[in-house]
Structures are given as structure tokens and as C-alpha cells.
């Protein structure tokens, strides 16, 4: 598959996990949107912790398509001993947008 492939019509959790891990292996491709940056500041959450959840956490629930045509997942992990939840939108094969963090 090439980077220009369109997003699939169906995305099982296992495939979503594979895609997130592949893209997330490059920290420069994990990009927080403004809302996520605000929430990270409010909650004292460093981008490094968010990256760790994306790279080593798990997808909780099933992926879904958002109104922009991006697959969305909720990821969870314990990068510093406390539960962290990260909302992620997959810009197909290009980058991961961090939507929110709590």
C-alpha cells in the first residue's frame, strides 16, 4: 500500500492498531491539534506521555469514521503510572492528529 491510498471503508481494531503503531513510530507524525494542546496544558500532560500512549498503548473500543472522513480511535495507556486517554484521528497513512487528552 502506498501513502496515497484512500482510507478503507472498514477498519478492524487490529488493522487500526497496526496503522497507528506504524505512523506513530515517527514522533514527528504525531501532531496535537489546538484543543489537545490546551487540554495538555490544563492537565499538565507532556507531549512525551501522549506519544508513549500512541506508541505503546492500546485502542479501547472500535474505530469509527468522523465527519472529516478520518478514522478515529481512543487510545489508553499508563506511561507514567497513571491512566491516560488520547483521542486520535488518523489522517490516512500520513499522520496522527491528537484531538484530546485526559
Amino acid at each position: 500500500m502506498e501513502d496515497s491510498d484512500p482510507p478503507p471503508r472498514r477498519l478492524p481494531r487490529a488493522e487500526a492498531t497496526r496503522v497507528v503503531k506504524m505512523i506513530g513510530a515517527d514522533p514527528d507524525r504525531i501532531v496535537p491539534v489546538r484543543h489537545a494542546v490546551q487540554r495538555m496544558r490544563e492537565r499538565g500532560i507532556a507531549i512525551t506521555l501522549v506519544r508513549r500512549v500512541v506508541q505503546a498503548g492500546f485502542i479501547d473500543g472500535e474505530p469509527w469514521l468522523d465527519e472529516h472522513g478520518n478514522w478515529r480511535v481512543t487510545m489508553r495507556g499508563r506511561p507514567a503510572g497513571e491512566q491516560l486517554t488520547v483521542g486520535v484521528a488518523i489522517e490516512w497513512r500520513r499522520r496522527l492528529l491528537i484531538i484530546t487528552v485526559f
Side-chain angles (χ1 to χ4, degrees):
M1 285 187 167
E2 294 183 17
D3 287 350
S4 61
D5 287 344
R9 295 176 144 232
R10 188 174 163 287
L11 187 63
R13 189 182 325 182
E15 176 66 7
T17 299
R18 191 183 71 71
V19 170
V20 167
K21 301 299 182 185
M22 178 190 70
I23 297 170
D26 179 354
D28 291 336
R29 294 172 70 186
I30 301 172
V31 181
V33 299
R34 185 181 329 168
H35 174 81
V37 170
Q38 291 170 338
R39 294 302 171 261
M40 289 164 56
R41 282 187 191 133
E42 287 171 7
R43 297 170 179 145
I45 300 169
I47 187 65
T48 343
L49 298 178
V50 173
R51 287 181 181 137
R52 285 185 196 154
V53 170
V54 170
Q55 293 168 339
F58 66 94
I59 293 177
D60 186 15
E62 294 300 319
W64 73 97
L65 270 175
D66 69 12
E67 65 276 9
H68 304 289
N70 294 322
W71 282 101
R72 294 274 303 269
V73 295
T74 300
M75 299 200 68
R76 296 190 194 281
R78 294 182 156 281
E82 289 189 38
Q83 178 76 27
L84 186 60
T85 301
V86 179
V88 179
I90 304 168
E91 279 193 346
W92 197 246
R93 306 265 185 211
R94 293 185 302 162
R95 63 185 182 165
L96 303 173
L97 298 178
I98 305 306
I99 305 302
T100 195
V101 179
F102 56 96

